[in-house]
Amino acid sequence: TVPVVSAWSISPNPASDFVTVSGVSGEQVELQIFDLQGKLVLSQKVGSGEQVSTVELPPAIYLCIIRKDQRTISTQKISIAR
């Protein structure tokens, strides 16, 4: 079966020091985090259940895009708050 677009998500929201990417077990995707000016501030290959450090990101709202095979499969806003 083909996974649905909403199979991938990022939590917690708001986050402080890390976010966890949840999705289809065994698949690798690219997590891209952009600030609200559109600047790419983090890009990392991840699998389901992996934690991604957000310690280097200042408190703000960010746009997270999850991509697989050059296609966007999920988009979510997250807040970094400390």
Side-chain angles (χ1 to χ4, degrees):
T1 62
V2 176
V4 294
V5 171
S6 61
W8 289 90
S9 65
I10 299 164
S11 62
N13 193 8
S16 59
D17 296 332
F18 69 90
V19 292
T20 301
V21 178
S22 302
V24 179
S25 181
E27 283 190 7
Q28 285 281 321
V29 294
E30 181 179 6
L31 171 65
Q32 297 177 322
I33 300 180
F34 294 86
D35 65 19
L36 292 184
Q37 286 73 44
K39 178 183 174 192
L40 179 65
V41 295
L42 189 148
S43 181
Q44 185 173 325
K45 296 275 187 199
V46 296
S48 183
E50 282 191 48
Q51 290 186 344
V52 176
S53 174
T54 56
V55 172
E56 301 295 321
L57 300 178
I61 295 176
Y62 295 89
L63 180 65
C64 297
I65 296 177
I66 296 175
R67 296 175 57 89
K68 180 170 172 55
D69 300 328
Q70 311 267 325
R71 291 180 338 179
T72 298
I73 58 173
S74 181
T75 302
Q76 180 179 333
K77 284 184 185 173
I78 64 163
S79 174
I80 304 295
R82 294 190 184 86

